[in-house]
Amino acid sequence: MSVSKLGKFAVVGLSAAWLAGCSTTATESDNSAVAEEGAATETTESADDMAASDDATYAAGEDGAVSSVIVEDEEAMAAQMQDVDPLAGVSTVFYFDFDKSIVRPAAREALAKHADFLINNPDARIVLEGHADERGTREYNMALGERRAKAVMRYLTIQGVAASQIETVSFGEEVPVAFGHDDASWQLNRRVEVRYE
Amino acid sequence: MKSKFVLVVLMALLTLSIPARAQLVIEITSGADQLLPVAVVPFGYTGSTPLPEDVAGIVQSDLLRSGVFQAIPRENMLSLPTSAKDVFYRDWRLLKADYVLVGNVDANANGTYRITYELVNVLTQKRVGNKEALDVKPSNFRDAAHFISDKIYEQLTGIRGAFSTRILYVTAEGNKAAPTFKLQVADADGYRPQVVVSSQEPILSPSWSADGRYIAYVMFRNRRPNIFIQELATGKQQQLAQFRGLNGAPAWSPDGKKLALVLSKDNNPEIYTLDIATKKLERMTNHYSIDTEPSWEPDGNGIIFTSDRGGNPQIYRLDVKSKSVERVTFEGELNTRARLTPDGRYLVTVQKNDGNYHIALQDMKTGRVQVLTQTYLDESPSIAPNGSMVMYATTENSKGILAVVSVDGLVKYKLPSADGDVREPAWSPYFK
Amino acid sequence: MRWTDKESYSLPVVLAIGLHVIILVGGSVGLVLGDDEPPAPKRPPIVNATIVDVSDTIIGKREAELRQAAAQAQQEAQKKAKEAARKKAEREALEKQRRQAQAAQKKREAAERKAEADRRALLEREKAEKARKAEAAKKKAQQEQAKKEKAQQEAEQKKRLEEKKRAEEEKRKRQEQERAKELERQRQLEAKAIAEAEEARRRQAEAEVQKAIAEEEAKQLRIEEGQAVQSISSLIMDRIASVWIRPPNARNGMKTKLRIGFLPSGEVSTVDVLESSGDSLFDQRAKDAVVKMGRVEELADVDYAIFERNFRQIELLFNPQDLRN
C-alpha cells in the first residue's frame, strides 16, 4: 500500500516537473519561488530540476527524474510499459493558480489524450480528484478542490467525453503531496488528479 | 488620560462655582491593565497514599489560562491555610493577593475523597460564597478541579466557567504522505484525550450537538466524503445519506433537530438543512458560487456561511425562513468559516490580510473588526460556550497545533502538543 | 252856614279828614310814583305835628273808627290809585280852590275867633310844643340811643371784626408758624434722611470694599483650597485607577458611586455603595479598589479645615470609558 502510494507520488512529482517545465508563461511567482527556496521532499526536488531547464520540455520528462522513479517503483513502470498503455507518459495531474480553477493551456495536450481514451473506451470511468493547498479554511478548500475537478471535467466533456464517465471528488487540503509551507509546495498541492477506476 | 481630563473639568467647576461645602466627587474612568491577583493555596491533605492529582494546581492552571487572573506563586506564600478561618489576611495583603482559594482533601472510607474549598476576599476579609464540599473518585480528580475552577471563575468574573467543557479535534499522525487520521475528544485544557474514530482517510469538520451528547463529522471512505453522526458516550455511529460530490461542513442547529451541511449534488456547493429525524433535506442557498461552512446563529433563525458570490470569499447571513441572504463581512481580503459568540455579539472569522490568515473578531453591533491572532495559517476557530475564548488551529514549526485566544485578544496560549498534526478544534457546549 | 259855625267841630273834623286823605293819597301817590318822579316836597314838620295833634286830641274815642275809615279810604285810594293819579291835577286844582276858600274862610273865622283861637292855638301850640319837644327829645334820645347803639354796635362790630381779624391774623400767623415749623421739621427730616442715606451709602460702599477684600481673600483661599483639593483628588483618582481591576463583564458606561469616609490620617474609614451599577461584581471591584488604595498619606498634611470641608467624606464615581466593549 505504502509502496504503491510512494510510486504514485513519484509519478505525480514527475508530471509536476514536466508541467512546470513547459508552462513557464503560465507560472508566476509560485514557480520562481520554487527555485529560490528549494524543497524538502524528493518530488519537489525533481520539480526543481525540471524547472531549471527551460527548453527541456518532453525530453526532460525522461531524464534523471524518471530513472529515479523507476528505481523506486520498478515494478509499476515495467507493467505500464508491457501493456503499451495508450496513456503511458500522459500526465494525470493538472495544476492550478492560487484560488483559481482555470485549466492551464499547458494541460490541454494531456487532457486531449485522456479525452480520446475515454471517447474510445466508453466503459472507462474516471474520477477527477481536486485538491487545494493548505491556505484557507478546510471546507472552503473542499469546495475549491471540487471546482477545479469540475473545470477539468468541463474541459473533457467539451472534447466529447460523456459526463457519465466522469465523477468529481474533492479532497480539499487534506491530502497534500508536498509538505512544505511555501509557494513550491502549495503549487504542487493545487491540483486535479485523474484517476481511472 | 481621559480620566484626568474629566477631573480637571470637575475641579474647574468646583473652583468656579461650588461653595466650599459641596460634595467632592472624583470620577474614575480608567482602570488597571492588570489581572486579578489570586492565590490558590495547595489543598491540605494528611493521608498517606499519594493523591491522583494536585487539585489546586489544576485550578490554578485553569484560572491562569482564562487570562483573567494572575496567580501568586506557591513558593512566595507565607502560609498555607486550608480553611478560611486560618487565613491570615495581612500575609496575603503583603503578597498583593486580592482573593485566596483554600481547600482540603480528606480520604473517605469508601475509597473516594472529600474535597472542601473556600474563597476569601483579602480586601474585605470576608468569604465569597459558601464553603463547598465534593466527594470524588480518584479518577475524577481532574473533573473536580475543573468544577472548582468553574465556580471560582464565575464568582470572580460573573461569567460561567468553561473549564469542565471538552474539545474535539483531528490529528494526522505518522507518515505525512499516508497519515492516520484520528478524531479525538479531550478536556478543554487538552488533557485526557480519547480517540473517537480513527481512519486512513481524511477526517474533518467535527461538530457538537447543542447538548454535547452527539457529534457530527466528515470522514472519507473509499476516497469520497461522508457525513457521520456519532453518540459520544456509546460510540454508536451513523452515516448520513451520501450524495455525489461534496458532503461536508455539518453543523448542528441550536435545537438539535437539524444539521446544516454542504452538498454539491446539484452541481455546485450549496447549503442544505437536514432534519435528522425525518431525513428531509432542504436546499437553503441557490447560487452558482461556492456556498459553504454554515454555522447557526444562537437563536437558530439564521445561518451564517462562506460564499465567494461577491468575487472573493466573505461571510453572509442566510435567513432560515425567507432564505434571503445578506453580506456580513466587508473588511479583509477574505473572510471564511465564521462562528458567532453565544450571545451573538461577535463574529469570529478566518481573515486574510496581506497574504496572512488570522482569526478576526467582528463586533456585530458596531461592525468594528479586530484581528486576534498573529500566528501562522490560523484557521478553524471555535468559541468556548461562555464566549470568552476562541480555540483555533495554527501552524508552528511546520506542525499543526491548537491555540487559544481570548475574545479581547489579550490572552493567548497553546494547548499541550499532541502527536502529529493537530487541527479542526471544536469546543463543546456546556454539558447540562 | 252851619258848618262855619264857630261852635261846631264839624269844620275841623272835615279839615282833619281831608288832610288825612290828602296825606294818604299824596303819600301813596308819592309811594306809587316815588320811583319815577322826584319826591314830593317835604311837608314842614309842623303840619304833620298839627295833624297828629288834631287826631290825637280831637278824635279820642273814635280813633278806631277813624282808623277804620282811614283804612277804608286807603283801600279805596289804593283801589283808585290809577284813577287818582289820573285826576291828580284836577284834584290838586280843586284842592287849591278849596284851600283858597278855606284860607279865606279861615281868615274870616280867624278874625272872628281870634282870641279863642289864639289862646287855644297857644295852648295847643304849647302843648304841641311840649309834646313835640318831648317827642323830639324822645326821638332825639331814641336817635341818639340808636345812634349810640349803632355806634356801639359798629364799634363792637368793628371791634369784633378787628378781633376776628386779629384772631385770624393770629391764626394765620400761627398756621404760618406751624407751617414753617412743619417745613422746618420736614427739611430736618429730609436732611436727616439724606444724611442717613449718605451714611448708609458710605457704609455700604465701605462694606462692599470690605466684602470685595473678603471675597478676594476667600477667592484666594478657595483657589488655594481648590488647588489642594485638586491635587489630592487627582492623587486619589490615579491611585484607585491603578488598582481598579474590572471584571471581564464590565462595560463602558457602567456606573458605581461609592461614598468614602476618610480619617484625618488619610485612612479610609468607610466605603458604602451610594449608587449601584446593578452588577454586584462591578460594585465589589470598585470597593476592592478603594480598600487596595489604602491610606492616602498626603491627606494628613492637608489643612484640617480643608480636610473637613472636602475629604471627610467624598464620593467616587466609577465610570469606565477605556474598556473595549
Side-chain angles (χ1 to χ4, degrees), chain B residues 26-28 98-99 346 370, chain C residues 288 292 317 319 324-325:
Chain B
I26 300 171
E27 188 172 1
I28 295 128
D98 288 4
Y99 292 85
Y346 298 103
Q370 184 192 2
Chain C
D288 286 0
K292 262 168 104 175
L317 178 63
N319 179 21
R324 204 172 66 93
N325 298 303

Side-chain angles (χ1 to χ4, degrees), chain C residues 112-243:
Chain C
E112 285 175 7
R113 289 187 298 220
K114 193 140 172 208
E116 180 61 8
D118 283 347
R119 193 196 41 102
R120 256 199 188 175
L122 189 70
L123 280 172
E124 273 181 12
R125 242 184 348 257
E126 284 171 359
K127 203 180 172 182
E129 185 69 10
K130 236 181 169 171
R132 189 189 55 85
K133 275 183 182 166
E135 181 68 20
K138 192 185 169 190
K139 203 168 180 179
K140 197 183 174 187
Q142 274 178 343
Q143 274 177 347
E144 275 176 9
Q145 181 66 27
K147 200 177 176 183
K148 195 179 166 190
E149 276 176 6
K150 193 183 171 191
Q152 201 180 342
Q153 273 179 357
E154 276 177 357
E156 278 175 6
Q157 177 78 4
K158 196 182 172 189
K159 197 181 169 189
R160 267 205 309 277
L161 278 170
E162 277 173 0
E163 275 175 5
K164 195 182 167 194
K165 203 177 169 186
R166 198 169 56 242
E168 278 175 354
E169 183 69 13
E170 275 173 15
K171 195 181 166 191
R172 191 181 60 78
K173 276 186 182 161
R174 217 169 38 240
Q175 280 176 343
E176 261 176 26
Q177 276 178 353
E178 275 171 10
R179 206 161 48 240
K181 251 202 262 174
E182 178 67 20
L183 279 171
E184 181 63 19
R185 213 182 64 212
Q186 279 179 1
R187 249 198 320 277
Q188 280 176 355
L189 277 172
E190 274 171 23
K192 197 181 165 196
I194 287 165
E196 278 174 357
E198 199 63 37
E199 174 66 11
R201 259 202 299 283
R202 197 186 57 76
R203 272 201 226 114
Q204 198 188 335
E206 199 173 310
E208 271 168 10
V209 168
Q210 289 298 325
K211 198 179 158 199
I213 291 166
E215 271 177 3
E216 190 55 39
E217 283 171 356
K219 194 179 164 191
Q220 203 55 42
L221 279 174
R222 266 209 312 278
I223 288 169
E224 281 168 23
E225 180 166 356
Q227 284 165 347
V229 169
Q230 177 166 357
S231 87
I232 298 281
S233 295
S234 101
L235 204 101
I236 291 171
M237 195 196 69
D238 285 348
R239 288 195 189 160
I240 288 181
S242 71
V243 294

Side-chain angles (χ1 to χ4, degrees), chain B residues 2-4 7-8 11-12 14-16 18-37 68 70 93 96 98-99 121-124 153-159 343 345-346 361 363 368 370 372 407-409, chain C residues 222-223 225-227 229-238 240-249 251-252 255 257 259-260 281 284-285 287-289 291-294 308-311 313-325:
Chain B
K2 199 187 250 176
S3 55
K4 274 210 178 97
L7 183 79
V8 167
M11 295 317 300
L14 265 174
T15 315
L16 288 175
I18 304 173
R21 288 213 65 85
Q23 178 63 58
L24 180 62
V25 181
I26 300 171
E27 188 172 1
I28 295 128
T29 57
S30 65
D33 286 331
Q34 199 192 335
L35 303 174
L36 193 68
V68 180
Q70 53 179 312
R93 276 300 290 274
K96 297 191 185 309
D98 288 4
Y99 292 85
N121 182 337
V122 177
L123 302 163
T124 60
Y153 183 83
E154 188 162 0
Q155 279 173 320
L156 293 180
T157 67
I159 299 166
D343 59 5
R345 173 77 191 268
Y346 298 103
L361 183 83
D363 189 326
R368 209 176 62 114
Q370 184 192 2
L372 298 179
V407 165
D408 60 14
Chain C
R222 266 209 312 278
I223 288 169
E225 180 166 356
Q227 284 165 347
V229 169
Q230 177 166 357
S231 87
I232 298 281
S233 295
S234 101
L235 204 101
I236 291 171
M237 195 196 69
D238 285 348
I240 288 181
S242 71
V243 294
W244 180 29
I245 302 171
R246 283 76 59 88
N249 59 351
R251 297 285 177 272
N252 288 335
K255 282 180 191 167
K257 198 183 250 186
R259 181 185 281 143
I260 310 303
L281 207 63
Q284 183 61 53
R285 285 300 144 71
K287 289 197 277 184
D288 286 0
V291 178
K292 262 168 104 175
M293 172 184 66
E308 279 298 327
R309 267 200 298 276
N310 301 284
F311 294 105
Q313 190 174 285
I314 68 164
E315 288 177 16
L316 292 177
L317 178 63
F318 290 80
N319 179 21
Q321 304 291 321
D322 61 329
L323 295 172
R324 204 172 66 93
N325 298 303

Side-chain angles (χ1 to χ4, degrees), chain B residues 2 5 31 43 92 113 147 199 324 346 354 375 388 408:
Chain B
K2 199 187 250 176
F5 173 73
F43 284 12
W92 303 103
Y113 291 87
F147 177 84
S199 171
S324 65
Y346 298 103
D354 301 323
T375 37
S388 65
D408 60 14

